[in-house]
Amino acid sequence: MSFSSIPILDLSFARNPATKPAFLQSLQHALLEVGFLYIRNTGISDTLIQDVITEGIEFFNLPVEKKLEVQMKNAPSFLGYNKLGNEITRFETDWREQIDISTPHPIRKPSDPLYHNLLAPNQWPDPKALPHFRPVYEEYIQRMGEVSMFFTKLVAEAIGLPANAFDRFFDEAQQHKVKIVKYPDLAELGVEGEAQGVGPHKDSMLTSYLLQATQHRGLQVQNTLGEWIDCPPIAGTLVVAIGQGLEALTQGVCASTTHRVLSPAKGAGARYSIPFFQGVSYDATFESMQMPEEVVQLRREVLGRNGARKDDVEFTFSKGKWGHLGEATLMNRIRSHPDVGERWYPELLQQIREQQALDREKTNGSKEEIEGSEVKELSRSSAIKTH
C-alpha cells in the first residue's frame, strides 16, 4: 500500500551509537517508500530559526521599489527577487513571490562553461532597510550546509554505501541555495476556489530542507496512487525532500517524490516558507552508482507492493540527456524564469519554447499511454521544476 503520511525522524538518534542502527533503518524506509520526511533536533538553534523567519517576512514588507532593486533579471545567475506571478511550473503561473540567495561565488570567467553563470555573488537587500538580513542568512546557509552534508552521509549508510559515497559530487566551496517564499492567500490574489502556489514538481539535486515559517497547510506530497497527502507544519522540524539527482545516482533506490503547494484560503493570510537546497557540483555527471543488490531488491519489493508512480513530472537527469548537471540546471532555470531567459539567454529560451510546443503535441496525441514501467513514467513529460 502506498504511503498515507510523512515519517518523522529525530537526528539526535543518528548521533548516538546506541540508537543509530534503528535510525538508519527508519531512514531507509523513508527513502525507499516515501521520498519525504520530517527531521527534528537538527542542531540549529531556535534563535537562529526565529531570526531567519523574522528577517524573511520583513523582506516582503519592504516597498516594492526596494525589492525590485534586487530583482532576479538583473543578472544571469537566477539569484534575486521574483515578483508575484513571475515563475512558471508545468505551463502554469506560480502565485508566489520570492528571493533566492546562495553560497556566494565570483562572477563567471569567459572561459568557463555557460552554466557557471549560476555561481555568482548574491543580490542582497539594502542593508539600511534590513541591517540583519544578510548576516542572518549567511549564517543559516552555512549551518544548513553542514546539516545537509551530515544527512547525506546518513543517506549513504542507510542504503548500504560508505558514508563518504557522495562526497565526490560536491565542490570544495559547494554552492547551496535558499529561497524565501511568500504565498498570498486567495483574498489577496482575488481568486475564487483554488490557486497554484507552486505546481507539481520534484526537487533537483540531492536533498532539500523546508522550514515552514507559518502554521498554514498547503504543502502536499503525491503518493504512488496519485493521492495528495498533506505535509502540515510541525514545530521544531524541517521537511526533507529527496531530489532527482539522488534518485539518478542510486539507480532509483531513493525515491524523488512529486509535491505541490496550494495557495492559502481566503482570510488565512500569507503562507511563508524557507526551503534550503543542498547543492551539487554543476560539473558533475550523473552516472548511477553501484548499489548493494539487497537494497535494489528492497526497492523492487516496494514497487511490487505499491505499483509504479502515477505522476507525470519529467525525470530531469535521464541518462544521456545532459553532459553535466549544470547544463540541465541552467535549462530548467530558464524554463521556470522566462523573464531572465529573455534578457540573458534568448537563444536557449527559444529552444525551450520550440521543444515545449512539440511536447504539447506529443502529449495531446498520446494521452492513452498513462500506465507503464517506472522508467517510462520518469521520462515521459516535459513539465519539470528545479530550484
Side-chain angles (χ1 to χ4, degrees):
M1 181 177 292
S2 189
F3 69 88
S4 58
S5 62
I6 311 301
I8 305 172
L9 275 66
D10 190 327
L11 272 190
S12 67
F13 291 174
R15 300 185 181 99
N16 184 336
T19 54
K20 186 176 180 180
F23 174 90
L24 293 177
Q25 192 65 37
S26 296
L27 178 56
Q28 184 186 91
H29 169 83
L31 295 170
L32 272 62
E33 298 265 0
V34 185
F36 252 74
L37 63 148
Y38 295 91
I39 55 173
R40 56 164 46 111
N41 291 321
T42 61
I44 297 181
S45 72
D46 292 342
T47 299
L48 179 56
I49 292 293
Q50 189 54 56
D51 287 347
V52 165
I53 292 171
T54 299
E55 293 298 318
I57 293 174
E58 281 302 307
F59 171 79
F60 294 109
N61 292 333
L62 291 175
V64 173
E65 60 271 18
K66 296 302 290 182
K67 291 184 284 189
L68 291 177
E69 288 176 357
V70 294
Q71 62 183 323
M72 187 176 284
K73 68 179 181 180
N74 289 346
S77 61
F78 296 89
L79 298 173
Y81 170 69
N82 245 349
K83 63 185 180 181
L84 186 67
N86 237 31
E87 189 173 6
I88 295 171
T89 303
R90 299 186 71 191
F91 310 114
E92 299 291 337
T93 297
D94 293 332
W95 293 109
R96 62 179 183 173
E97 60 175 316
Q98 64 193 36
I99 181 171
D100 289 45
I101 55 180
S102 78
T103 310
H105 284 77
I107 292 175
R108 166 183 168 267
K109 301 175 192 173
S111 59
D112 291 335
L114 185 63
Y115 58 77
H116 277 201
N117 276 340
L118 302 172
L119 300 169
N122 285 302
Q123 297 193 74
W124 292 108
D126 184 352
K128 294 179 181 176
L130 291 177
H132 304 298
F133 184 94
R134 179 171 180 172
V136 163
Y137 274 93
E138 286 181 332
E139 181 181 359
Y140 187 64
I141 290 173
Q142 174 65 32
R143 295 287 292 114
M144 281 303 305
E146 295 165 0
V147 169
S148 69
M149 292 302 188
F150 173 63
F151 188 80
T152 303
K153 292 181 183 299
L154 295 173
V155 167
E157 292 182 90
I159 57 175
L161 298 176
N164 64 354
F166 300 113
D167 288 1
R168 60 192 171 100
F169 297 103
F170 300 113
D171 292 327
E172 185 175 346
Q174 180 59 54
Q175 183 196 53
H176 304 295
K177 191 174 173 188
V178 166
K179 281 182 185 284
I180 312 166
V181 187
K182 175 186 177 182
Y183 297 96
D185 71 9
L186 295 177
E188 185 176 346
L189 292 175
V191 172
E192 296 291 336
E194 198 173 87
Q196 172 174 297
V198 60
H201 68 282
K202 298 171 186 172
D203 289 350
S204 58
M205 309 306 185
L206 299 193
T207 57
S208 57
Y209 304 78
L210 174 65
L211 170 59
Q212 301 197 75
T214 51
Q215 292 303 304
H216 297 77
R217 289 176 177 260
L219 175 62
Q220 296 182 325
V221 182
Q222 191 176 45
N223 67 17
T224 55
L225 298 176
E227 300 166 335
W228 289 104
I229 307 302
D230 282 335
C231 190
I234 298 177
T237 69
L238 299 173
V239 178
V240 181
I242 302 307
Q244 296 184 77
L246 189 56
E247 181 167 321
L249 288 178
T250 62
Q251 301 180 38
V253 165
C254 295
S256 178
T257 303
T258 298
H259 50 288
R260 68 181 182 182
V261 176
L262 302 179
S263 297
K266 281 188 176 183
R271 176 181 184 268
Y272 295 90
S273 68
I274 304 167
F276 170 93
F277 302 98
Q278 179 188 36
V280 180
S281 173
Y282 290 130
D283 296 320
T285 57
F286 274 78
E287 299 177 0
S288 296
M289 305 179 75
Q290 189 63 40
M291 297 296 301
E293 180 56 34
E294 60 270 23
V295 180
V296 174
Q297 180 57 34
L298 284 174
R299 178 60 177 159
R300 292 194 193 106
E301 292 171 6
V302 169
L303 291 173
R305 289 195 305 271
N306 300 340
R309 69 189 67 201
K310 301 299 182 183
D311 61 58
D312 60 353
V313 176
E314 181 187 5
F315 190 62
T316 306
F317 303 114
S318 298
K319 188 173 181 180
K321 188 171 184 179
W322 306 106
H324 297 90
L325 170 66
E327 296 172 83
T329 304
L330 177 61
M331 293 296 277
N332 291 336
R333 299 260 170 88
I334 294 169
R335 181 183 286 106
S336 292
H337 303 281
D339 60 327
V340 181
E342 286 174 354
R343 181 165 185 177
W344 297 100
Y345 306 100
E347 293 181 1
L348 294 179
L349 179 61
Q350 182 59 34
Q351 290 177 26
I352 288 169
R353 286 173 169 165
E354 290 172 358
Q355 185 61 49
Q356 286 175 333
L358 291 173
D359 289 341
R360 284 193 186 98
E361 291 178 8
K362 290 179 183 178
T363 299
N364 291 336
S366 60
K367 285 183 178 178
E368 70 278 5
E369 295 183 14
I370 296 174
E371 301 297 331
S373 70
E374 183 178 30
V375 173
K376 289 180 182 178
E377 289 291 338
L378 285 172
S379 61
R380 176 157 48 227
S381 170
S382 66
I384 60 178
K385 183 73 173 179
T386 61
H387 300 276

